[in-house]
């Protein structure tokens, strides 16, 4: 039972599968009942050893050592490994023959009692075994050795393309990868619990939308055959959540998949996970408090501390986070006193730096571009950047002191935008004006403008309370809290080019 290394390993495994059937074994039975998990076997080891309690365990065969009539092997279940000991005179000749037809990757069901080897390793001493699933394709199982009590992996599978395409193999072989996704689940549940404690209602909104909106992004288009019309995969759920607040749900949230027809890089995937929530009678200051509280809670859940390491930098998400206006950030990080510059000087600066604006020039959009190019990468520790130019969103209230700005913030960590929030605009007349302006800007050549949504405007005309709203990029939050620098490492099945089979 050595690891497969030849090109015809699949045919060899198929032959073994037939031999199992010829011997009367069922290589794909319906069920198997385990009495313990591997962790429970470890936790209860003293009692199980003392009382010689019968146990049963199902798992994947990951390593085999020795030959003859007594063999040691490793079984993996829930990404934990346990040594097992199989003797011919204890499991019986028939079961031992079945075991000799097993390969790495096969799933086995074992029964027996716990023991410790001479080296003190906890081991399941089998008295019965059966095949639960015969694997007919060999995994690239790495070599693993114990060195000074530490598990050392040799020939680790590091091919990113292989790991992303065949995530099932990646998870089976790399316990660290599996741990990232367990933490991802923990982070989502931590956020959910926080919002439920704050009296938010979890809801669901449409993925297929006849009018996309809620963000400035390029959508994916799909065709509904029965209705004979095009739909868009949502770029945001914002306008639907606002409709629900209009309908009387004062606090709503949703975990969603958004779809944006954009490039792929280490922090962008066309399909990504986000959280949005909206609170009536609140503003962007309230959203800041929610945002920093959520990150603080998630860090505590994932690390037991608000501090954690990311690429050699200690990040601390403990509230409260610093707050800087965009103008203050430009002056602090870029050394540019933007308000003292004329429009001509701003345009000259853009030309000198090689920074390009889509469509016609506007001072506000230039201000945002200067910030993005000069400041974002320097925002390492958690920071709220507030008070954006009015051109940056048509869905946000005008700033209370400066009509050229809006009450918007974005949260940054490690140079990444991780959250975006507004004091939400609730004046239907002003909202229509701003959406119409966006349509005109799109006609003027500006990319990714917001479309006009007549139904949303109609809903606003029935009366929309003042509210604060926020969107948090869940994938980026998980990246930070699990130490991953590529979004594909926190998405189980990231977007890839179609694989070519049969070549």
């Amino acid at each position: 039972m050595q690891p497969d290394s030849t090109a015809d390993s699949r045919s060899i495994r198929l032959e073994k599968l037939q031999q199992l059937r010829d011997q009367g074994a069922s290589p794909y039975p319906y069920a198997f009942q385990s009495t313990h998990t591997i962790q429970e076997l470890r936790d209860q080891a003293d009692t199980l050893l003392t009382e010689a309690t019968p146990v049963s365990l199902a798992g994947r065969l990951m390593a085999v050592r020795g030959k003859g009539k007594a063999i040691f092997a490793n079984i993996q279940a829930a990404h934990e490994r346990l040594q097992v000991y199989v003797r011919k005179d204890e499991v019986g000749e028939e079961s031992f023959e079945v075991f000799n037809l097993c390969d790495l990757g096969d799933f086995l069901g074992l029964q027996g009692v716990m023991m410790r080897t001479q080296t003190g390793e906890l081991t399941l001493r089998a008295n019965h075994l059966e095949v639960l699933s015969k694997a007919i394709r060999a995994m690239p199982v790495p070599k693993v050795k114990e060195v000074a009590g530490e598990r050392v992996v040799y020939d680790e599978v590091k091919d990113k393309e292989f790991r992303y395409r065949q995530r099932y193999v990646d998870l089976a072989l790399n316990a660290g990868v599996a741990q990232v996704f367990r933490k991802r689940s923990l982070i989502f549940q931590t956020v959910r619990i926080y919002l439920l404690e704050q009296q938010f209602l979890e809801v669901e909104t449409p993925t297929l939308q006849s009018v996309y909106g809620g963000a400035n992004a390029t959508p994916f288009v799909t065709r509904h055959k029965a209705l004979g019309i095009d739909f868009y995969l949502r770029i945001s759920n914002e306008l639907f959540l606002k409709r629900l607040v209009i309908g009387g749900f004062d606090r709503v949230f949703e975990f969603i998949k958004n779809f944006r027809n954009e490039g792929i890089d280490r922090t962008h995937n066309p399909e990504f996970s986000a959280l949005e929530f909206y609170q009536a009678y609140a503003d962007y200051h309230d959203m800041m408090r929610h945002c920093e509280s959520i990150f603080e809670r998630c860090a505590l859940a994932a690390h037991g501390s608000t501090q954690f390491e990311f690429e050699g930098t200690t990040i601390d998400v403990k509230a409260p986070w610093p707050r800087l206006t965009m103008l203050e950030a430009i002056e602090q990080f870029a050394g540019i006193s933007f308000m003292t510059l004329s429009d001509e000087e701003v345009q000259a600066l853009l030309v000198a730096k090689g920074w390009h604006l889509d469509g016609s020039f506007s001072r506000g959009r230039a201000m945002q571009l200067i910030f993005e190019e000069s400041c974002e990468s320097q925002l390492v520790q958690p920071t709220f950047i507030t008070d954006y130019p009015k051109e940056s969103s048509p869905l946000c209230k005008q700033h209370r002191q400066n009509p050229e700005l809006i009450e918007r913030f974005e949260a940054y960590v490690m140079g990444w935008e991780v959250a975006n929030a507004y004091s939400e605009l609730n004046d239907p007349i002003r909202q229509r004006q701003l959406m119409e302006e966006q349509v005109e800007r799109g006609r003027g050549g500006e990319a990714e403008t917001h479309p006009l949504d007549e139904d949303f405007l109609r809903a606003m005309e029935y009366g929309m309370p003042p509210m604060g709203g926020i969107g948090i990029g869940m994938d980026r939050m998980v990246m930070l809290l699990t130490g991953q620098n590529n979004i594909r490492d926190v998405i189980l099945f990231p977007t890839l080019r179609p694989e070519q089979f049969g070549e």
Side-chain angles (χ1 to χ4, degrees):
M1 293 187 298
Q2 297 303 312
D4 297 287
S5 59
T6 61
D8 62 350
S9 63
R10 190 170 185 271
S11 63
I12 293 172
R13 286 171 175 248
L14 287 170
E15 290 175 7
K16 292 181 179 180
L17 174 62
Q18 188 58 50
Q19 289 179 54
L20 287 169
R21 287 180 166 144
D22 290 344
Q23 292 181 15
S26 175
Y28 302 104
Y30 288 91
F32 181 88
Q33 187 64 49
S34 294
T35 59
H36 299 75
T37 65
I38 290 177
Q39 188 59 52
E40 288 169 344
L41 291 174
R42 292 195 179 112
D43 293 342
Q44 302 170 28
D46 290 343
T47 300
L48 295 173
L49 289 165
T50 301
E51 299 179 1
T53 307
V55 300
S56 60
L57 177 69
R60 189 193 290 271
L61 183 62
M62 296 300 289
V64 176
R65 297 176 297 282
K67 57 183 178 179
K69 298 180 180 180
I71 298 174
F72 283 96
N74 281 354
I75 292 292
Q76 178 171 290
H79 304 102
E80 297 279 346
R81 293 194 182 193
L82 181 74
Q83 181 168 268
V84 298
Y85 179 55
V86 182
R87 284 179 60 93
K88 181 177 181 179
D89 59 359
E90 294 191 20
V91 299
E93 185 171 344
E94 184 176 327
S95 290
F96 199 72
E97 288 180 10
V98 167
F99 186 57
N100 277 314
L101 291 172
C102 291
D103 295 291
L104 301 186
D106 292 357
F107 283 87
L108 303 180
L110 300 117
Q111 296 173 346
V113 295
M114 302 308 295
M115 69 174 217
R116 289 197 185 275
T117 63
Q118 291 181 348
T119 60
E121 183 170 356
L122 187 65
T123 302
L124 172 57
R125 187 182 189 114
N127 55 38
H128 174 79
L129 68 88
E130 59 184 287
V131 178
L132 302 181
S133 179
K134 178 65 182 171
I136 62 172
R137 184 184 294 270
M139 293 191 299
V141 179
K143 297 176 182 177
V144 181
K145 290 185 179 180
E146 293 286 336
V147 179
E150 296 291 326
R151 183 171 178 268
V152 179
V153 180
Y154 300 88
D155 304 323
E156 185 177 359
V157 179
K158 295 180 179 179
D159 187 315
K160 292 277 189 179
E161 181 81 6
F162 173 86
R163 291 178 51 229
Y164 297 150
R165 287 195 184 279
Q166 299 188 40
R167 182 68 86 185
Y168 35 88
V169 178
D170 186 27
L171 292 168
L173 296 183
N174 297 317
V177 172
Q179 182 61 21
V180 167
F181 290 101
R182 291 184 189 278
K183 280 194 175 182
R184 180 186 174 102
S185 178
L186 173 64
I187 290 164
F188 273 68
Q189 294 306 315
T190 301
V191 175
R192 176 175 280 111
I193 290 169
Y194 171 84
L195 290 171
L196 293 175
E197 288 175 356
Q198 299 293 316
Q199 306 303 310
F200 283 82
L201 176 71
E202 186 168 12
V203 298
E204 296 173 285
T205 62
T207 298
L208 291 177
Q209 301 178 354
S210 57
V211 180
Y212 66 92
N216 294 335
T218 303
F220 289 92
V221 185
T222 187
R223 185 76 175 172
H224 192 289
K225 291 191 292 185
L227 294 178
I229 58 174
D230 286 341
F231 278 90
Y232 303 96
L233 298 183
R234 68 178 165 208
I235 60 173
S236 169
N237 60 346
E238 174 171 343
L239 303 189
F240 282 94
L241 292 180
K242 287 180 176 178
R243 286 171 169 93
L244 295 179
V245 177
I246 291 168
F249 293 128
D250 284 349
R251 299 187 180 201
V252 293
F253 77 96
E254 184 180 16
F255 289 107
I256 56 167
K257 288 287 190 180
N258 285 332
F259 305 87
R260 298 183 183 177
N261 203 345
E262 59 188 14
I264 298 174
D265 60 32
R266 73 187 188 98
T267 61
H268 292 86
N269 193 68
E271 175 184 355
F272 64 94
S273 296
L275 163 73
E276 292 205 25
F277 59 90
Y278 291 79
Q279 179 178 341
Y281 317 115
D283 63 11
Y284 74 150
H285 295 292
D286 298 294
M287 295 301 107
M288 287 185 219
R289 289 189 284 271
H290 281 310
C291 182
E292 61 195 5
S293 294
I294 284 172
F295 272 83
E296 189 176 64
R297 277 241 199 149
C298 289
L300 288 169
H303 298 286
S305 170
T306 61
Q307 295 186 0
F308 54 91
E309 294 292 316
F310 189 90
E311 295 188 332
T313 298
T314 300
I315 301 296
D316 192 348
V317 295
K318 184 174 178 58
W321 295 2
R323 287 136 166 87
L324 285 175
T325 69
M326 182 175 284
L327 288 170
E328 288 171 342
I330 290 172
E331 183 148 11
Q332 178 174 325
F333 294 106
I336 298 171
S337 182
F338 185 84
M339 295 303 293
T340 66
L341 300 179
S342 66
D343 286 358
E344 291 75 18
E345 289 172 324
V346 171
Q347 292 181 69
L349 175 64
L350 297 184
V351 171
K353 295 289 189 179
W355 298 335
H356 175 70
L357 282 174
D358 293 324
S360 58
F361 173 83
S362 81
R363 186 176 179 86
R365 292 175 58 235
M367 168 181 157
Q368 185 171 357
L369 180 61
I370 291 169
F371 164 77
E372 291 170 350
E373 295 289 348
S374 301
C375 306
E376 283 186 346
S377 63
Q378 300 184 67
L379 298 171
V380 176
Q381 294 299 325
T383 306
F384 291 120
I385 300 298
T386 69
D387 303 346
Y388 277 56
K390 64 183 182 181
E391 295 92 339
S392 67
S393 174
L395 300 169
C396 187
K397 273 188 181 291
Q398 178 179 292
H399 195 276
R400 277 166 258 201
Q401 280 79 45
N402 187 340
E404 295 303 308
L405 303 177
I406 54 176
E407 293 198 348
R408 174 186 181 184
F409 77 76
E410 288 183 322
Y412 285 87
V413 186
M414 286 299 298
W416 303 343
E417 176 209 335
V418 295
N420 180 29
Y422 310 148
S423 295
E424 304 291 344
L425 179 61
N426 63 331
D427 177 345
I429 305 302
R430 181 60 178 155
Q431 184 66 87
R432 178 177 290 277
Q433 292 172 346
L434 291 175
M435 282 190 167
E436 288 175 348
E437 286 177 11
Q438 286 267 313
V439 171
E440 288 304 312
R441 285 163 55 184
R443 289 173 180 162
E446 185 179 329
E448 299 183 344
T449 54
H450 204 290
L452 190 69
D453 188 332
E454 286 288 355
D455 179 68
F456 175 63
L457 292 170
R458 177 174 60 189
M460 287 188 69
E461 290 178 359
Y462 282 103
M464 186 171 93
M467 73 176 84
I470 187 169
I472 295 177
M474 294 302 297
D475 298 317
R476 291 185 185 178
M477 177 191 280
V478 174
M479 288 171 68
L480 285 166
L481 294 177
T482 59
Q484 307 302 307
N485 65 7
N486 193 310
I487 195 169
R488 293 183 176 189
D489 291 321
V490 300
I491 297 176
L492 280 168
F493 301 102
T495 304
L496 302 168
R497 291 183 184 275
E499 187 174 3
Q500 300 300 313
F501 287 91
E503 292 188 350

